[in-house]
């Protein structure tokens, strides 16, 4: 398989719910007016706590400093696994499950923290720029590694990265087993032809910016049966949307498309307290058991918590599996 280090340098930010009004102008520009910005990597995810915005340096310039804007200090690089057509795998699972054992687990063992962004089209593994040499030395036996430079894929090895064959020489730390929440929402993972984006503009603006009025807080608390979660990504010209079925009903059915099976997904939300960005192994402790059972999963990290989406028909077995792992961790 091939591993591509994409030609984007990303920032991970958070906009407070109360401060959204200060950022609607740049966000509308980044979502709808592609000809007015050089941003090529943009993702906006609403959760009950805040809005997580992941964007490249050109997009980041659009966000003015504010008390309502939190910025994670690192620069992140997105990695993407590309199957070269000859992969000998019987797995039919999609999403992060495909890369759990080959990418996620080895990086966790080397104490590399990752930030995941699954989309309709693919899965992006974000790593801190300062960890790149460790990432390459960890994965180069498993993958042909390429770095995209101005549209060209250039082969890369440890000798091309400063500090070469280093590993993170930290002692193994038992990962924290975080609590999980399983809301009742049913979710869809969908896409849209960018040329039809104007046709859903008013609906998208309504859902993103005006669905949290004082009389519309029925999904604003994660302690309720359902939670507010909506994700929009526009990355290298491809659009991905993750929304629950209630939000989906507001959009024209003939413009959004999903996989041929049209399956629904359930969420596993990871974390009782904000997770931070330094802990390693959070994605692995969810994706590894799913991979062992060959269960598909999309995975979306946000500024405060992580979110895995699994097929609705698997949610009972996933719940039992996670409870089993929690008991094992408690007794080990």
């Amino acid at each position: 398989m091939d591993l591509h280090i994409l030609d984007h340098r990303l920032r991970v930010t958070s906009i407070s719910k109360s401060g959204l009004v200060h950022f609607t102008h740049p966000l509308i520009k980044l979502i709808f007016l592609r000809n007015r910005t050089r941003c090529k990597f943009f993702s906006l995810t609403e959760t009950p706590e805040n809005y997580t915005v992941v964007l490249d340096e050109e997009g980041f310039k659009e966000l003015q400093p504010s008390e309502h804007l939190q910025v994670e200090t690192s620069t992140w690089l997105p990695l993407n696994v590309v199957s070269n057509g000859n992969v000998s795998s019987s797995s039919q699972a999609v999403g992060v499950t495909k890369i759990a054992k080959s990418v996620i687990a080895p990086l966790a063992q080397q104490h590399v923290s990752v930030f995941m962004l699954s989309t309709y089209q693919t899965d992006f593994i974000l790593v801190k720029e300062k960890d790149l040499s460790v990432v390459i030395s960890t994965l180069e036996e498993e993958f042909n590694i390429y770095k995209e430079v101005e549209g060209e894929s250039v082969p890369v090895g440890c000798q091309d990265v400063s500090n070469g064959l280093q590993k993170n020489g930290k002692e193994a730390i038992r990962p924290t087993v975080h609590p999980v929440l399983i809301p009742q929402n049913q979710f869809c993972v969908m896409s849209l032809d960018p040329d039809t984006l104007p046709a859903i503009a008013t609906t998208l603006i309504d859902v993103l910016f005006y669905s949290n009025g004082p009389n519309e807080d029925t999904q604003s608390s994660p302690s309720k049966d359902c939670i507010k979660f909506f994700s929009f990504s526009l990355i290298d010209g491809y659009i991905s949307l993750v929304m629950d079925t209630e939000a989906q009903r507001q959009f024209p059915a003939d413009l959004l498309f999903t996989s041929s099976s049209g399956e629904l997904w359930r969420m596993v939300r990871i974390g009782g307290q904000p997770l931070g960005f330094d802990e390693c192994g959070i994605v692995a402790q969810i994706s590894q058991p799913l991979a062992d059972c060959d269960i598909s999963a999309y995975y979306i990290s946000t500024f405060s918590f992580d979110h895995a989406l699994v097929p609705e028909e698997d949610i009972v077995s996933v719940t039992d599996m996670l409870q089993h792992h929690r008991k094992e961790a408690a007794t080990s």
Side-chain angles (χ1 to χ4, degrees), residues 33-63:
L33 303 178
R34 286 176 292 158
N35 61 329
R36 291 187 176 273
T37 173
R38 295 170 64 186
C39 179
K40 303 298 184 189
F41 193 111
F42 173 83
S43 177
L44 171 66
T45 302
E46 180 184 5
T47 61
E49 299 76 27
N50 49 39
Y51 293 84
T52 297
V53 183
V54 182
L55 69 181
D56 61 23
E57 292 176 316
E58 288 295 329
F60 184 62
K61 293 175 184 176
E62 304 285 348
L63 304 183

Side-chain angles (χ1 to χ4, degrees), residues 135-150:
V135 170
I136 292 173
S137 63
T138 302
L139 301 179
E140 67 174 353
E141 289 186 14
E142 182 78 19
F143 293 93
N144 302 311
I145 302 178
Y146 299 89
K147 183 175 179 62
E148 293 192 359
V149 180
E150 296 180 354

Side-chain angles (χ1 to χ4, degrees), residues 18 29 51 80 86 96-97 150 166 192 202 210 259 274 296 310:
S18 62
K29 179 180 179 181
Y51 293 84
N80 187 219
N86 302 314
V96 72
T97 305
E150 296 180 354
Q166 69 168 325
L192 172 77
T202 53
Y210 295 98
S259 61
S296 298
V310 300

Side-chain angles (χ1 to χ4, degrees), residues 232-293:
F232 172 92
S233 299
L234 175 55
I235 299 171
D236 290 328
Y238 293 96
I239 292 175
S240 176
L241 296 137
V242 179
M243 66 186 84
D244 66 12
T245 51
E246 181 176 328
Q248 181 199 11
R249 284 191 287 270
Q250 300 181 51
F251 289 87
D254 59 332
L255 294 181
L256 300 180
F257 52 86
T258 184
S259 61
S260 56
S261 59
E263 60 193 322
L264 295 174
W265 301 78
R266 290 286 300 279
M267 177 180 287
V268 178
R269 175 178 153 109
I270 301 101
Q273 299 292 325
L275 298 172
F277 294 90
D278 295 322
E279 185 180 339
C280 308
I282 298 173
V283 181
Q285 70 177 248
I286 299 294
S287 62
Q288 186 78 31
L290 294 175
D292 290 340
C293 298

Side-chain angles (χ1 to χ4, degrees), residues 15-26 51 68 209-210:
I15 298 172
S16 67
K17 288 290 181 81
S18 62
L20 180 66
V21 64
H22 301 288
F23 291 94
T24 48
H25 184 272
Y51 293 84
H68 302 289
F209 301 134
Y210 295 98

Side-chain angles (χ1 to χ4, degrees), residues 13-18 20 27 31 42-54 117 185 187 203-213 216-221 227-233 241-244 247 250 267 269 300-305 307:
T13 72
S14 169
I15 298 172
S16 67
K17 288 290 181 81
S18 62
L20 180 66
L27 290 176
I31 294 170
F42 173 83
S43 177
L44 171 66
T45 302
E46 180 184 5
T47 61
E49 299 76 27
N50 49 39
Y51 293 84
T52 297
V53 183
V54 182
L117 179 59
N185 315 51
F187 288 91
T203 304
L204 190 56
I205 290 171
D206 188 16
V207 169
L208 279 175
F209 301 134
Y210 295 98
S211 61
N212 279 310
E216 300 181 55
D217 59 355
T218 55
Q219 289 193 347
S220 62
S221 170
I227 70 166
K228 181 73 176 181
F229 187 92
F230 187 97
S231 185
F232 172 92
S233 299
L241 296 137
V242 179
M243 66 186 84
D244 66 12
Q250 300 181 51
M267 177 180 287
R269 175 178 153 109
I300 299 176
S301 301
T302 62
F303 206 87
S304 299
F305 299 104
H307 309 80

